[in-house]
Amino acid sequence: REECGSGSGRGETVRIVNASLMVKANLLVGMLGVMALLGSGYSSVNMLMVNQRYSDLLNGSVAAADYVGRANRAISDIVTSMYQNAAASSPEQIQAAAMLRTTSRSNFNKYIDAAAKALPAKEAELRAIRSSLVKLFLETCGSVMERLVSPDHGQVAAAVGDMLKSCTPAIEKTQATAVRFNALLLKDVRAESQANSAYSWLSIGFAAGGTLLAVLVVMAVGIRFMSRTVSQPLRRLLALM
């Protein structure tokens, strides 16, 4: 009976040891899983941040650069309409040139406003570009526009001379200002894009390195833990047996 009782006790002990070993193994696997989840979560959060930064860049600086480019095209159309007026030989051609000029001015204002809305930090500079063109039409180019649509060929010829002397160079100066603004804006876009790329690689490095370090720490702790709680008791048990 004592032997049976002793055997029964040993069976209980073996079952307890086996259960403890499974729990310990599962604990280590669970710790590795938690580390992997933390690394994955860190990477996901950083990728979401990078994605948001690129989204802000596209909807901000890139969109503003596109709108300023369209505004520059509208300025070119204004100059084209003036030359069309100068070369017009019929009322229909004069009217078509005037309509192109009106549409181009409207488009210019629309695109500058859209650029300012996309990039509020540069709104003052964009408003200044718009104001300079408005001022040109009120002062330097106003009388030229009126005489270009005149039926008097003498007035048209004089208007063409003033257009080439003062109006067109002033408009081209405004256009050059917009071009310089766009060049600086695109330079900032490239710099921001490079910074985002560097941040992405840095995040990947931190995530990979951190996960690897965590796995190595867990493995070292696990080996030490299993050695003290499993290997050593088994060696003592084998010695007793």
Side-chain angles (χ1 to χ4, degrees):
R1 279 198 221 79
E2 288 179 0
E3 289 179 358
C4 290
S6 177
S8 176
R10 290 194 186 96
E12 292 292 336
T13 302
V14 170
R15 284 196 292 270
I16 292 172
V17 170
N18 286 339
S20 299
L21 182 59
M22 291 175 63
V23 170
K24 294 167 187 175
N26 288 332
L27 179 62
L28 291 175
V29 172
M31 291 176 66
L32 289 174
V34 169
M35 293 301 174
L37 285 174
L38 290 175
S40 176
Y42 175 81
S43 299
S44 298
V45 170
N46 279 282
M47 290 301 102
L48 287 174
M49 291 176 61
V50 171
N51 180 68
Q52 184 61 46
R53 291 171 67 172
Y54 271 114
S55 179
D56 293 340
L57 185 64
L58 289 174
N59 295 326
S61 299
V62 174
D66 177 59
Y67 287 129
V68 172
R70 297 186 186 190
N72 266 328
R73 173 61 186 271
I75 294 177
S76 297
D77 290 340
I78 291 172
V79 176
T80 298
S81 73
M82 295 169 64
Y83 282 105
Q84 287 180 353
N85 260 140
S89 58
S90 67
E92 290 78 13
Q93 292 176 343
I94 293 175
Q95 184 179 4
M99 185 175 296
L100 174 61
R101 185 160 52 253
T102 301
T103 303
S104 300
R105 288 182 63 183
S106 176
N107 287 338
F108 172 81
N109 293 334
K110 179 180 68 175
Y111 291 137
I112 290 295
D113 290 343
K117 184 177 180 180
L119 196 62
K122 301 290 186 179
E123 182 176 2
E125 297 175 56
L126 291 166
R127 298 295 182 192
I129 294 173
R130 175 178 174 175
S131 298
S132 65
L133 191 66
V134 171
K135 185 177 179 180
L136 282 176
F137 277 95
L138 291 176
E139 298 176 0
T140 309
C141 300
S143 62
V144 172
M145 299 298 177
E146 293 177 359
R147 287 179 289 158
L148 281 174
V149 297
S150 173
D152 187 345
H153 293 291
Q155 287 192 8
V156 172
V160 170
D162 291 339
M163 179 185 74
L164 297 175
K165 181 181 178 181
S166 58
C167 181
T168 302
I171 292 177
E172 290 175 349
K173 184 178 179 180
T174 299
Q175 190 173 25
T177 301
V179 169
R180 286 194 299 271
F181 174 86
N182 225 22
L184 293 175
L185 196 58
L186 291 175
K187 183 179 179 181
D188 292 340
V189 169
R190 287 191 292 270
E192 183 67 21
S193 178
Q194 292 174 356
N196 287 342
S197 297
Y199 181 79
S200 298
W201 283 110
L202 185 64
S203 299
I204 292 172
F206 270 118
T211 302
L212 178 61
L213 179 62
V215 169
L216 292 176
V217 169
V218 170
M219 289 178 63
V221 172
I223 292 171
R224 179 65 175 170
F225 177 72
M226 295 295 283
S227 176
R228 296 187 61 180
T229 61
V230 176
S231 299
Q232 291 179 8
L234 282 176
R235 282 195 294 270
R236 288 195 296 269
L237 179 61
L238 288 172
L240 290 173
M241 292 176 64

